[in-house]
Amino acid sequence: GIQVEQSPPDLILQEGANSTLRCNFSDSVNNLQWFHQNPWGQLINLFYIPSGTKQNGRLSATTVATERYSLLYISSSQTTDSGVYFCAVLYSGGGADGLTFGKGTHLIIQP
Amino acid sequence: DAGVTQSPTHLIKTRGQQVTLRCSPKSGHDTVSWYQQALGQGPQFIFQYYEEEERQRGNFPDRFSGHQFPNYSSELNVNALLLGDSALYLCASSLEQGRSVRELFFGEGSRLTVL
């Protein structure tokens, strides 16, 4: 099946810093989503971005589908940005309706 | 606009028992998927229901079964519970807009502990 690798696995930053999270995937995809998992376990939708660039406030994301990677940018980090960030993809080759998740990036923002 | 709701939020079972988890999709959505998330891991796809039928299934044994009702809500059943079934079970809903265009929205999950 399709492989999804996220880096870095862990990231500790001071409040106000900027960060870039990366997601590499091994095959063509129809769907790519970025999620933030809060401490209670809920996955919060950040971006639906199978290709192109999107921005939402301090967050932005870029997916280069031809090169099989996506980047999530967080600017001016706040302590509430802490948590685990997941990238998830849907293989475009058919026969798969479930998202494949990476192992996540655990982000800690220190005050 | 009601989001995806799941119940119960927490439950404890013993080995060999059976459990049923419930999910109501986001308003306007017709497709429900279930995921299992073990501690420290990313969620793994269990199966997906559309038009009251299981459409796709991940690498999970037959002990995991499900159902979708006419109102699009869904249940996940796990029989003969094992210690390894302890996990956060997440339900996701989406709207069938064509197989390649589908944004998923997740509920808060049901945390199952098997003793």
Side-chain angles (χ1 to χ4, degrees), chain A residues 30-31 33 35 37 39-43 45 47-48 86 90 95-104, chain B residues 33 35 37 40-45 48 55-56 88 90 99-108 111:
Chain A
N30 285 332
N31 176 358
Q33 291 186 243
F35 298 94
Q37 189 163 42
W40 298 271
Q42 184 167 15
L43 288 168
N45 287 43
F47 294 102
Y48 171 80
F86 286 104
L90 179 66
D97 285 306
L99 289 176
T100 299
F101 282 75
K103 293 185 176 181
Chain B
S33 305
Y35 291 76
Q37 186 177 19
Q41 302 295 317
Q44 287 195 297
F45 174 66
Q48 182 182 83
R55 181 159 69 178
Q56 278 288 333
L88 179 67
L90 295 162
R99 302 288 290 271
S100 63
V101 179
R102 190 185 309 118
E103 182 176 6
L104 271 65
F105 293 83
F106 283 81
E108 295 185 358
R111 192 169 297 277

Side-chain angles (χ1 to χ4, degrees), chain B residues 36 45-47 54 57-66 76-80 82 85 89:
Chain B
Q36 180 196 65
F45 174 66
I46 302 175
F47 43 51
E54 182 181 301
R57 188 178 187 93
N59 188 25
F60 280 82
D62 292 344
R63 298 186 297 109
F64 290 76
S65 63
L76 165 66
N77 300 291
V78 186
N79 295 321
L82 304 173
D85 295 332
Y89 288 86

Side-chain angles (χ1 to χ4, degrees), chain A residues 16-98:
Chain A
N18 301 329
S19 58
T20 300
L21 282 57
R22 187 177 181 98
C23 171
N24 292 333
F25 42 96
S26 61
D27 216 321
S28 60
V29 299
N30 285 332
N31 176 358
L32 188 147
Q33 291 186 243
W34 282 98
F35 298 94
H36 176 208
Q37 189 163 42
N38 66 23
W40 298 271
Q42 184 167 15
L43 288 168
I44 307 299
N45 287 43
L46 297 178
F47 294 102
Y48 171 80
I49 187 167
S51 64
T53 297
K54 291 186 178 180
Q55 181 159 5
N56 184 5
R58 297 182 296 103
L59 274 61
S60 63
T62 295
T63 297
V64 183
T66 53
E67 297 187 20
R68 299 180 184 167
Y69 74 88
S70 182
L71 302 173
L72 176 68
Y73 305 97
I74 304 174
S75 65
S76 303
S77 298
Q78 301 174 359
T79 55
T80 52
D81 294 331
S82 296
V84 184
Y85 289 79
F86 286 104
C87 166
V89 303
L90 179 66
Y91 173 53
S92 67
D97 285 306

